[in-house]
Amino acid sequence: MDYEAFFDSEIAGLHREGRYRVFTDLERQAGRYPYATHHSPAGEREVTVWCSNDYLGMGQHPAVVGAMHEAIERCGAGAGGTRNISGTNHYHVLLEQELADLHGKEAALIFSSGYVSNWAALGTLGSKLPGCVIFSDEGNHASMIEGIRSSRAERQIFRHNDPEDLNRKLSLIEPGRAKLVAFESVYSMDGDIAPIDEICDVAEAHGALTYLDEVHAVGLYGARGGGISERMGLAHRLDVIEGTLGKAFAVHGGYITGSNRLCDFVRSFASGFIFTTSLPPAVAAGAAASIRHLKGSGVERARHQERVAKVRQALDAAGIPVLANRSHIVPVMVGDPVLCKAISDSLLDEFGIYVQPINYPTVPRGTERLRITPSPLHSNADIDHLVDALSTIWSRIGLSRQAAE
């Protein structure tokens, strides 16, 4: 087989479909978020980042940066091993305590990423619980799907955010079987929010464990940043709350929280935890500092919501098509992969605005979009510049379409 020819053919197919992904070479500027330096063959240029998952700008917060510097001075760079073999640093223990407290749970377990935490936890629970059936929302993230698939447990897909469909499917399973309901609080591409209370009602009626992914909500919602489940007063009804340290908390890593026994079970059986080098102590220290700060400060969350509302209002007033939702994610709908990439390129090249195009398979074909994520640090001038740039491009597209017709 000509392997290189095969690789080339497959990549060429992505180019033809407009789905080939190009990495934008950015250099974040400490203390100047949301601005970054864009490195390209044409040279260096400052750009405004409008699609970062550092939702609150905590990646540059003095408490976070200071904690990381201190940990490096005390412990050096890496952890030195897996958690089982010399790699459990005191900073890991402190971080897990912060996370358990954040969600009102007995225990927490940290992983090398949010993807790994979902894959390892769902894969372990699904494979080890005898006769387990996993009920997965059809909008779940790839990491959850991969974890469920790797568990080899029976899988049932219920309609997105539809407790009635979940109830119908659970009703078909014999009462004594192990059951787990896996879903998200905020869905990252559409920005819609799950009816957590209704899903818990259904799961509890059928004796099912509940597994909630709060990756795009932790730090952002709730009085202390515990996510949508905290804001709704429902954290105690979730058996597992999973989250990330790499988005609103702005460092790196993933985690689960739950009962002592459940976390110990995953710790003892999950290969994705057992055989992976643990997070560097400085990363754990920075994440813990970010969590502690956001537990006590609502300033960032309030400013964030105000900025999101202002961006939405400005885009609506300009006639830019935005998908409505009740979260912080602002999807500007395009509906064509080639056009979506072209708009993204124009924003970057002409206006110094970086927004990554979101195409299939991240979103269904025909729903391609620009996923805008305002932060507390985007100024009124930044917002005006973004809306003016999109309006200019939209007018240009409208003229070209009319000409084509």
Side-chain angles (χ1 to χ4, degrees), residues 16-221:
R16 286 193 300 274
E17 295 175 30
R19 295 196 294 120
Y20 182 75
R21 302 184 184 207
V22 177
F23 292 160
T24 303
D25 185 351
L26 298 175
E27 182 180 339
R28 299 184 72 180
Q29 301 176 9
R32 299 203 66 241
Y33 184 80
Y35 309 115
T37 302
H38 175 220
H39 295 268
S40 74
E44 298 180 1
R45 180 187 186 188
E46 183 173 273
V47 298
T48 308
V49 178
W50 275 101
C51 57
S52 175
N53 284 337
D54 183 358
Y55 291 130
L56 299 176
M58 290 298 294
Q60 65 177 15
H61 195 282
V64 176
V65 177
M68 297 184 75
H69 278 297
E70 180 184 359
I72 288 175
E73 292 297 323
R74 289 171 64 93
C75 302
T82 66
R83 289 292 297 274
N84 290 319
I85 304 175
S86 83
T88 295
N89 190 281
H90 188 54
Y91 286 109
H92 299 129
V93 177
L94 295 176
L95 173 57
E96 288 174 340
Q97 291 173 354
E98 288 287 351
L99 289 165
D101 174 74
L102 176 67
H103 294 295
K105 300 298 183 186
E106 293 178 342
L109 194 65
I110 53 175
F111 295 81
S112 56
S113 72
Y115 191 104
V116 172
S117 59
N118 270 333
W119 166 70
L122 286 168
T124 300
L125 291 169
S127 64
K128 291 293 186 179
L129 288 169
C132 184
V133 185
I134 300 180
F135 296 81
S136 176
D137 187 289
E138 67 179 350
N140 278 345
H141 188 265
S143 59
M144 302 176 79
I145 295 169
E146 186 66 24
I148 295 166
R149 182 182 294 121
S150 70
S151 77
R152 299 187 180 180
E154 180 181 339
R155 178 181 60 176
Q156 298 279 341
I157 309 298
F158 64 94
R159 286 200 293 268
H160 180 51
N161 282 346
D162 190 336
E164 292 183 3
D165 189 49
L166 173 62
N167 185 59
R168 282 191 293 270
K169 287 180 164 57
L170 275 163
S171 298
L172 299 176
I173 305 299
E174 49 268 41
R177 289 186 68 178
K179 298 173 283 289
L180 186 153
V181 177
F183 61 111
E184 302 181 37
S185 60
V186 177
Y187 288 84
S188 62
M189 290 299 124
D190 286 355
D192 53 335
I193 296 174
I196 299 174
D197 51 348
E198 296 176 54
I199 291 175
C200 285
D201 289 342
V202 172
E204 289 166 3
H206 293 276
L209 290 173
T210 46
Y211 184 108
L212 178 66
D213 178 317
E214 286 262 37
V215 160
H216 289 275
V218 290
L220 301 173
Y221 301 94

Side-chain angles (χ1 to χ4, degrees), residues 50-51 189 320-321 329-335 339-345 347 355-359 367-373 386 390 393-394:
W50 275 101
C51 57
M189 290 299 124
I320 304 298
I329 295 166
V330 184
V332 171
M333 305 306 291
V334 178
L339 193 57
C340 196
K341 177 67 166 59
I343 294 171
S344 174
D345 289 345
L347 285 171
V355 185
Q356 185 71 15
I358 307 295
N359 294 334
T367 69
E368 292 80 8
R369 67 199 64 184
L370 303 172
R371 178 181 176 274
I372 293 172
T373 54
L386 171 69
L390 283 171
I393 295 170
W394 241 255

Side-chain angles (χ1 to χ4, degrees), residues 300-341:
E300 293 83 3
R301 284 187 286 277
R303 171 71 173 177
H304 182 232
Q305 290 298 317
E306 185 272 331
R307 296 284 85 184
V308 171
K310 187 171 182 63
V311 169
R312 284 187 174 278
Q313 291 166 2
L315 290 171
D316 286 341
I320 304 298
V322 175
L323 186 65
N325 61 50
R326 295 179 293 118
S327 77
H328 59 283
I329 295 166
V330 184
V332 171
M333 305 306 291
V334 178
D336 177 89
V338 175
L339 193 57
C340 196
K341 177 67 166 59

Side-chain angles (χ1 to χ4, degrees), residues 83-84 109 111 120 124 128 256 260-275:
R83 289 292 297 274
N84 290 319
L109 194 65
F111 295 81
T124 300
K128 291 293 186 179
I256 63 167
N260 281 321
R261 287 189 180 91
L262 187 148
C263 289
D264 194 26
F265 178 83
V266 174
R267 181 190 73 86
S268 300
F269 290 102
S271 63
F273 176 84
I274 295 169
F275 299 107

